[in-house]
Amino acid sequence: MKGLSPLALILIFVVATAAGYKVIRDVPSLLHTPLMSGMNALSGVTILGSLVATALAAATHNKALGFIAIMLATVNLVGGFAVTERMLKMFRER
């Protein structure tokens, strides 16, 4: 089975980016904090998936890509918690 061409992958990336931007832009500010919590949970699942994929990788370059995936997912998770904490501070009494 042959994979998608690079042009098709770029097109999918551009369409997904545009759709994601439109969805996030139209979310009311009241819902941002609950959505961030949900995305933090999804980032945790992404870390677990990348850990499993890296553990099962046979080739060295696949393990390197898995390590990069683990690092990027971890940065995403930590950044999401930092942003959520900052947003929650806006609603606390002084």
Side-chain angles (χ1 to χ4, degrees), residues 72-91:
L72 291 175
T74 303
V75 167
N76 189 24
L77 180 68
V78 172
F81 278 118
V83 169
T84 302
E85 180 65 24
R86 187 172 179 191
M87 290 172 66
L88 288 173
K89 282 182 181 178
M90 293 173 19
F91 296 103

Side-chain angles (χ1 to χ4, degrees), residues 5-26:
S5 71
L7 183 61
L9 293 175
I10 291 171
L11 180 64
I12 291 170
F13 177 76
V14 169
V15 170
T17 301
Y21 177 76
K22 172 123 177 69
V23 167
I24 295 299
R25 185 184 56 155
D26 292 342

